[in-house]
Amino acid sequence: MTPQFWLWLGCAGMAAGAAAILLLAKRRTPTEEADGIIHGIVPIIAACSYFAMATGQGSITLPAGPDAADVARQFYVARYIDWTFTTPLLLVGLARTAMHSGMRRQAVVWGLVGSDLIMIVTALAFGLSEVAAVKWTWFAISCGAFLAVFYGIFVQLREENAAERADVRKAFLRNAVFLTGVWCAYPVVLLVGQDGLGLLSPAVALAVVALLDLTAKVAYGIMATMETTRAVDRDLAEGTAAAKPLRRAA
């Protein structure tokens, strides 16, 4: 299948996923409303990114290298713009799950978002670099920032999550393992794809990234939205503080 097929599939899948999440998300409480918006807007941004790439507006052509066998390659800038907005939103949503009863440690969330942005920007520099020493230095820095994100999730957020009731702790762990498990595949694809070692063809690399994106943004978004609904169902049944109804205009 051609690269264009995977780009249009990504666009259509993200649009359909956004609609599904927004329809599934309930708005009985501020928690449900906020989480529904967060997880609904992520695939909307991604759909715009895939539309830009599919129509030729989201990529640039980088020159061939000094080797005669080298050919020019398409570099998808829109992908990194997408990740700059969507991955912080996903982390904020995960932090809200971890601290379901109240966002207690804002600094941890800012640290997560900051580390994530460093990871994305340095991955962009890696993809744009032509000098091998510079390219792989950027890749190493990006991986280091990725490890900082892992630390924030599985150490700092989990410390806060320990104060929550058992069902919220389980929901957070499921969400964290699912999301980070998918995210672990991205640096591998960048490493072996056209921007790295060039072991994958452009079509295969696009296919893998599109499927990873749909999993991380749509499948995970649906999963996280349903986890929030289950937690709020229990809040409402027990009359906890988190179950405060959403105020609506008269």
Side-chain angles (χ1 to χ4, degrees), residues 56-71:
Q57 296 177 311
S59 64
I60 58 174
T61 302
L62 295 180
D67 192 323
D70 290 341
V71 294

Side-chain angles (χ1 to χ4, degrees), residues 1-3 5-7 9-10 14 50 79 83 181-194 199-217:
M1 295 178 180
T2 66
F5 169 83
W6 294 108
L7 293 173
L9 177 66
M14 292 298 178
Y50 272 94
R79 175 183 294 164
W83 292 343
V182 177
W183 278 3
C184 281
Y186 282 92
V188 177
V189 177
L190 292 180
L191 174 65
V192 300
Q194 293 297 300
L199 301 179
L200 297 180
S201 69
V204 171
L206 281 172
V208 174
V209 173
L211 293 174
L212 288 173
D213 278 347
L214 287 167
T215 303
K217 296 177 173 68

Side-chain angles (χ1 to χ4, degrees), residues 23 25 33 43 53 84 110 113-114 119 124 166 188 196 207-208 220 244:
L23 286 172
E33 183 177 56
M53 290 188 286
T84 298
W110 284 112
V113 170
M119 176 181 73
L124 171 64
V188 177
V208 174
Y220 173 75
K244 183 180 179 180

Side-chain angles (χ1 to χ4, degrees), residues 131-248:
V131 178
V134 175
K135 173 183 282 289
W136 296 110
T137 299
W138 283 126
F139 185 77
I141 295 170
S142 184
C143 289
F146 194 18
L147 291 176
V149 172
F150 265 68
Y151 177 82
I153 292 172
F154 289 102
V155 176
Q156 295 175 306
L157 282 186
R158 201 166 184 193
E159 287 174 352
E160 292 304 310
N161 182 242
E164 302 290 340
R165 63 177 190 251
D167 64 312
V168 175
R169 294 197 301 271
K170 290 178 181 178
F172 167 71
L173 187 59
R174 280 193 295 267
N175 287 3
V177 170
F178 185 97
L179 185 61
T180 56
V182 177
W183 278 3
C184 281
Y186 282 92
V188 177
V189 177
L190 292 180
L191 174 65
V192 300
Q194 293 297 300
D195 298 335
L197 298 173
L199 301 179
L200 297 180
S201 69
V204 171
L206 281 172
V208 174
V209 173
L211 293 174
L212 288 173
D213 278 347
L214 287 167
T215 303
K217 296 177 173 68
V218 174
Y220 173 75
I222 291 172
M223 172 183 168
T225 299
M226 294 176 69
E227 294 281 13
T228 298
T229 298
R230 282 192 285 269
V232 172
D233 282 343
R234 181 163 174 179
D235 293 338
L236 292 170
E238 297 180 354
T240 62
K244 183 180 179 180
L246 183 66
R247 290 185 178 181
R248 300 185 185 278

